[in-house]
Amino acid sequence: MDTRAHWDAIYREKGAEGVSWYQAEARLSLELIIRVAPPDGRILDVGGGASRLVDGLLAAGYFNITVLDFSPAALEQARARLGVNGTTVSWIEADILTVSLPHHAMDVWHDRAVFHFLTAARDRERYVKQVGDALSPGGHVLVATFAEDGPTRCSGLEVVRYSPQALLHEFGADFQMVSSAREEHVTPAGVSQAFTYCLCRYMPTAAGPKQ
Ligand SMILES: C[S@@+](CC[C@H](N)C(=O)[O-])C[C@H]1O[C@@H](n2cnc3c(N)ncnc32)[C@H](O)[C@@H]1O
């Protein structure tokens, strides 16, 4: 089974509220986004799946929201939950490593629990290039991964665990740390998982992103 089919099968089998990464409210992500983006900020939730971050953003008054995921089941579940409220959201079914996004057209790139599945250095490089292409200079990237003492696997897949400094290092010299935070996520099964959140500002230099 390819990776996309793997994720799609999990959403179909468990439903949005049964997956280990389910949050009733994406509180920390929302707080950090509100700190750096005005209500007209263009927000991209990468690998957003059926996350409720979009619900929180809409409730906070954001209206330029894009949710991207390569699982059709996840996007269907989010759209069904939001109903008419979701009609202003742009939903993109695509692979973040290969999708062609509008150039420098996003103010915030949010990713919770996607980047840490990129175990190959070339995939992480492609990802960082996508961030630099999509974000407007001065925009922000907010990435949440398993922390150094978090789980080594999720949903049967290996992950890379990060400290805030290690995440910043992956992104390279064009990104400046704004803040970082640790969160203990409790899964629907009651298991605690430590996450690292890293909020960085995109300040491209002539040297370009890390090669
Ligand atoms: C662990 S879930 C996290 C979902 C969501 N961010 C949240 O916090 O609820 C990982 C998500 O990333 C998506 N995903 C994984 N790799 C992807 C890729 N290369 N392109 C697009 N989506 C991807 C999966 O379909 C899944 O929805």
Side-chain angles (χ1 to χ4, degrees):
M1 197 190 283
D2 67 22
T3 322
R4 177 181 160 283
H6 171 81
W7 286 110
D8 208 50
I10 293 175
Y11 281 106
R12 288 191 194 284
E13 187 190 316
K14 301 195 168 177
E17 298 183 12
V19 295
S20 60
W21 55 92
Y22 168 72
Q23 294 177 297
E25 221 187 341
R27 189 189 49 79
L28 185 52
S29 294
L30 196 56
E31 271 176 27
L32 291 167
I33 291 170
I34 288 171
R35 202 184 291 178
V36 295
D40 64 349
R42 297 157 297 178
I43 318 291
L44 173 64
D45 190 13
V46 168
S51 164
R52 294 184 180 229
L53 175 62
V54 59
D55 308 45
L57 289 168
L58 287 166
Y62 288 92
F63 51 85
N64 280 316
I65 307 168
T66 303
V67 178
L68 180 149
D69 204 286
F70 63 8
S71 160
L75 295 178
E76 275 160 30
Q77 289 169 10
R79 294 178 83 151
R81 183 184 69 240
L82 283 163
V84 72
N85 289 338
T87 52
T88 61
V89 176
S90 299
W91 304 94
I92 302 179
E93 186 191 316
D95 186 329
I96 195 54
L97 296 183
T98 54
V99 67
S100 186
L101 292 167
H103 204 51
H104 296 328
M106 293 294 164
D107 298 307
V108 176
W109 173 296
H110 173 267
D111 161 349
R112 172 175 176 267
V114 186
F115 183 76
H116 66 194
F117 289 106
L118 303 179
T119 54
R122 69 177 176 285
D123 286 343
R124 294 196 292 274
E125 283 159 17
R126 278 161 82 187
Y127 180 104
V128 172
K129 179 160 188 330
Q130 293 282 62
V131 178
D133 286 348
L135 271 185
S136 61
H140 293 82
V141 56
L142 172 56
V143 178
T145 65
F146 282 155
E148 287 165 298
D149 57 343
T152 55
R153 298 177 74 80
C154 174
S155 303
L157 301 174
E158 262 182 54
V159 304
V160 183
R161 301 177 294 174
Y162 294 95
S163 64
Q165 291 69 27
L167 260 180
L168 179 64
H169 179 74
E170 287 294 332
F171 280 82
D174 286 350
F175 294 84
Q176 295 171 358
M177 179 87 77
V178 175
S179 67
S180 64
R182 178 182 167 92
E183 182 179 64
E184 298 291 337
H185 168 64
V186 180
T187 71
V191 177
S192 187
Q193 301 179 329
F195 274 79
T196 292
Y197 283 68
C198 190
L199 176 66
C200 296
R201 188 151 192 237
Y202 178 49
M203 301 293 282
T205 60
K210 188 184 124 182
Q211 295 301 310

